[in-house]
Amino acid sequence: MRHRILLFSNTDESNNNNSNSNYYNNDTSNTKRSKDEKLKLFQKDIQEKFKEERSYNTFGILSPIAKTLDEVSGEWALSYADLRPATPRTIEGRAFLATNVCYAAAGLILGVQGDWFFAFLTEIAGIVSFWYHYSQLEFGQNREEVRLALLTDYFTAGAALITGGFYMAEMGISSVPLDALITGAASVVCLSLCWVW
């Protein structure tokens, strides 16, 4: 009989220990979750406090367009990649800037062929593209100077692309060499891969 009482007594103690252990585990789990939530809220609060408001002081007459673009796109349209540690003086930076030579070459070829208008648009697009990329490398992330160059790049590159589109439509898509179409498609894919989404 005495052995049975001890057995029941040990079982009760074991059950109490298990329930206490479960309570302790739940309590520490809730405490950990609470700390994680507080940390996330703290980080979000810090980010909001230190988030720089975008300035449009250097945009001049383009300021309303820049503001509208930012409002409509949630500040995505005038965002750009942070290229650090590359600068205009590093090998990577110089290679990146050298890609703008293609504009100059294309403009020169168009000029030799007598299409001075399209040649002019292409050369201007190349100069502005160089300005934007140089500013991107020089100033880094979230700079007004770079966003102004990017907005200008939209206009000049857009004008050259639209003009080229009219030319293709006038000639008929079947008249455009296949290698030109493949190169153009590959360029769009490369641009989309390095875009800030």
Side-chain angles (χ1 to χ4, degrees):
M1 182 73 175
R2 186 167 177 274
H3 292 295
R4 283 186 185 173
I5 292 167
L6 284 174
L7 182 63
F8 287 132
S9 173
N10 288 338
T11 306
D12 289 343
E13 282 179 16
S14 175
N15 289 337
N16 286 337
N17 288 338
N18 286 339
S19 63
N20 287 339
S21 174
N22 289 337
Y23 173 79
Y24 176 76
N25 287 338
N26 288 337
D27 189 47
T28 52
S29 169
N30 289 335
T31 305
K32 187 179 178 186
R33 194 179 308 122
S34 176
K35 283 182 181 177
D36 289 344
E37 286 170 3
K38 283 179 183 176
L39 180 63
K40 284 178 185 175
L41 287 171
F42 174 73
Q43 288 171 338
K44 187 177 178 183
D45 187 47
I46 291 293
Q47 285 171 353
E48 286 175 1
K49 282 180 181 175
F50 285 92
K51 186 181 179 184
E52 294 179 16
E53 285 191 16
R54 287 195 166 181
S55 172
Y56 302 90
N57 296 328
T58 60
F59 281 80
I61 58 170
L62 297 177
S63 182
I65 298 169
K67 286 178 182 176
T68 304
L69 266 177
D70 274 342
E71 285 170 12
V72 170
S73 68
E75 298 189 350
W76 174 81
L78 293 178
S79 295
Y80 55 91
D82 185 3
L83 301 180
R84 287 174 296 183
T87 72
R89 289 161 290 283
T90 61
I91 294 170
E92 298 88 352
R94 288 176 180 173
F96 179 56
L97 291 173
T99 60
N100 293 290
V101 170
C102 297
Y103 279 107
L108 185 63
I109 292 166
L110 288 165
V112 167
Q113 292 176 349
D115 193 342
W116 294 107
F117 176 67
F118 197 16
F120 173 75
L121 288 179
T122 305
E123 292 295 343
I124 292 296
I127 292 166
V128 173
S129 178
F130 182 88
W131 169 37
Y132 163 52
H133 292 147
Y134 186 91
S135 301
Q136 190 179 10
L137 287 162
E138 181 68 23
F139 297 113
Q141 192 84 17
N142 299 324
R143 290 293 294 266
E144 190 177 340
E145 301 94 328
V146 187
R147 292 188 296 110
L148 173 61
L150 174 56
L151 180 60
T152 311
D153 185 52
Y154 283 154
F155 287 121
T156 54
L161 286 169
I162 290 166
T163 304
F166 278 128
Y167 278 29
M168 284 189 354
E170 197 176 76
M171 289 173 13
I173 195 74
S174 57
S175 303
V176 180
L178 182 62
D179 58 342
L181 291 173
I182 292 170
T183 304
S187 301
V188 171
V189 169
C190 289
L191 179 63
S192 64
L193 287 173
C194 63
W195 203 274
V196 177
W197 291 104

